[in-house]
Amino acid sequence: MSATDILIIVMVVLVVAFYFIYRTSSKRMKQSMEAEEFVNANKQVTSIYVIDKKCEKPTEQNLNKQIYEQLNSQAKRHKLCMVKAKVGPQIYTLITDKSVYDVLTPKKTVKVELSGLYIVSVVGVNLQDKKKKTWREKASLFLKSDAKEDAEKIVKK
């Protein structure tokens, strides 16, 4: 077997692998688009009282049994951001994204957009101002504010 034969076999295997990756990614893209359309069609603004929030793997104890059974195997293995909240007279465990999870504070009443048991977004709150900042982000904001003060002093002179 010569080097060109091996090269041709490797190229064929790579082309087949890229084709299957492309097909699976396009299917997942379609599924995510359908899910996003469904969420946007069914969202409603509701006021909730946040009791507790945790990022953990879903179990039958923290989610309803029916909802837990509907989760796919991949979702059961990964940690989800879950918020225990009082919606009206009942207490539910809601699922959310990390960006919304960072904004929610326990023991507070918040207006959110809900789609079933999924918190889509927080209404009336600027997410950029409320999310937790790293020490680098805090330092850069501090330096920017100092630079603005220095510029104002120069302009006044």
Side-chain angles (χ1 to χ4, degrees):
M1 204 177 237
S2 66
T4 57
D5 292 339
I6 294 173
L7 184 63
I8 291 172
I9 292 171
V10 169
M11 293 297 286
V12 169
V13 169
L14 286 175
V15 168
V16 170
F18 282 129
Y19 174 75
F20 282 115
I21 290 171
Y22 173 75
R23 294 288 292 170
T24 56
S25 65
S26 65
K27 285 181 183 178
R28 286 192 181 185
M29 179 68 92
K30 287 178 187 176
Q31 289 175 349
S32 68
M33 297 284 277
E34 290 172 1
E36 187 175 329
E37 288 175 6
F38 181 77
V39 165
N40 288 335
N42 294 319
K43 66 183 177 183
Q44 58 188 1
V45 177
T46 310
S47 181
I48 65 170
Y49 178 75
V50 179
I51 297 171
D52 189 26
K53 63 180 195 172
K54 294 179 184 175
C55 277
E56 59 188 6
K57 291 183 180 179
T59 61
E60 289 185 18
Q61 286 78 27
N62 36 345
L63 286 178
N64 191 352
K65 184 178 180 181
Q66 294 172 341
I67 295 167
Y68 181 75
E69 290 173 357
Q70 289 178 359
L71 289 175
N72 59 12
S73 60
Q74 184 180 6
K76 289 179 182 178
R77 282 185 263 133
H78 291 287
K79 287 186 176 182
L80 297 175
C81 295
M82 292 187 267
V83 176
K84 193 172 198 175
K86 185 175 183 182
V87 182
Q90 296 180 335
I91 297 175
Y92 293 107
T93 302
L94 306 171
I95 300 170
T96 185
D97 286 333
K98 185 70 173 162
S99 61
V100 177
Y101 176 82
D102 291 337
V103 174
L104 296 174
T105 55
K107 311 295 184 210
K108 298 272 182 170
T109 302
V110 182
K111 237 179 205 185
V112 296
E113 287 184 340
L114 276 178
S115 177
L117 293 177
Y118 181 71
I119 300 175
V120 179
S121 65
V122 179
V123 178
V125 176
N126 187 358
L127 298 180
Q128 296 298 327
D129 295 340
K130 296 293 182 181
K131 78 172 198 171
K132 291 182 182 178
K133 295 180 177 73
T134 63
W135 65 271
R136 287 183 181 162
E137 291 172 343
K138 289 178 184 177
S140 67
L141 289 174
F142 179 73
L143 292 174
K144 286 179 184 176
S145 66
D146 283 347
K148 286 181 183 177
E149 289 174 5
D150 292 341
E152 288 175 4
K153 287 179 183 177
I154 292 172
V155 170
K156 287 181 181 178
K157 289 182 181 180

